[in-house]
Amino acid sequence: MSTHLFTRPSAVAPILMSLAALAMVLGHIALFGTVRQADEGAAAHLFQLLMVGQIPIVAYFAIHGLPRMPRLALAVLATQLLAGLAACAPVWYFHL
């Protein structure tokens, strides 16, 4: 059994998805600014898909990782949570 849970795809995928969502939001802000648009664009829909799509992956990881190695799994879950909050922070701050 691996003692490093960050090697599992179910541990890394949500973090990468959050980082991709954050990069997309920051790129959108850099290109178009923070002015509200009448219609949600493709960037908003992709952001929503990336953020909601990680919920089942995180749940799978929690179900399988917590019973085996609770301390390491909690560290991974905390990292996943922080990455998700980092992706949502610009959206909340700029009211996008």
Side-chain angles (χ1 to χ4, degrees):
M1 181 165 22
S2 173
T3 59
H4 200 271
L5 290 177
F6 280 106
T7 59
R8 296 183 183 218
S10 61
V12 178
I15 297 168
L16 294 176
M17 291 170 76
S18 292
L19 292 176
L22 176 63
M24 190 173 46
V25 168
L26 294 178
H28 182 76
I29 290 171
L31 291 175
F32 303 109
T34 60
V35 178
R36 291 193 62 109
Q37 298 176 354
D39 185 27
E40 287 185 346
H45 291 290
L46 287 173
F47 175 83
Q48 293 165 0
L49 287 172
L50 283 169
M51 296 308 289
V52 172
Q54 46 186 305
I55 293 172
I57 301 170
V58 170
Y60 173 83
F61 176 78
I63 290 169
H64 291 282
L66 279 173
R68 293 182 184 152
M69 293 180 272
R71 282 191 169 189
L72 291 172
L74 284 175
V76 171
L77 289 171
T79 306
Q80 291 171 342
L81 177 66
L82 288 175
L85 291 174
C88 292
V91 176
W92 173 79
Y93 183 76
F94 292 114
H95 302 284
L96 296 175

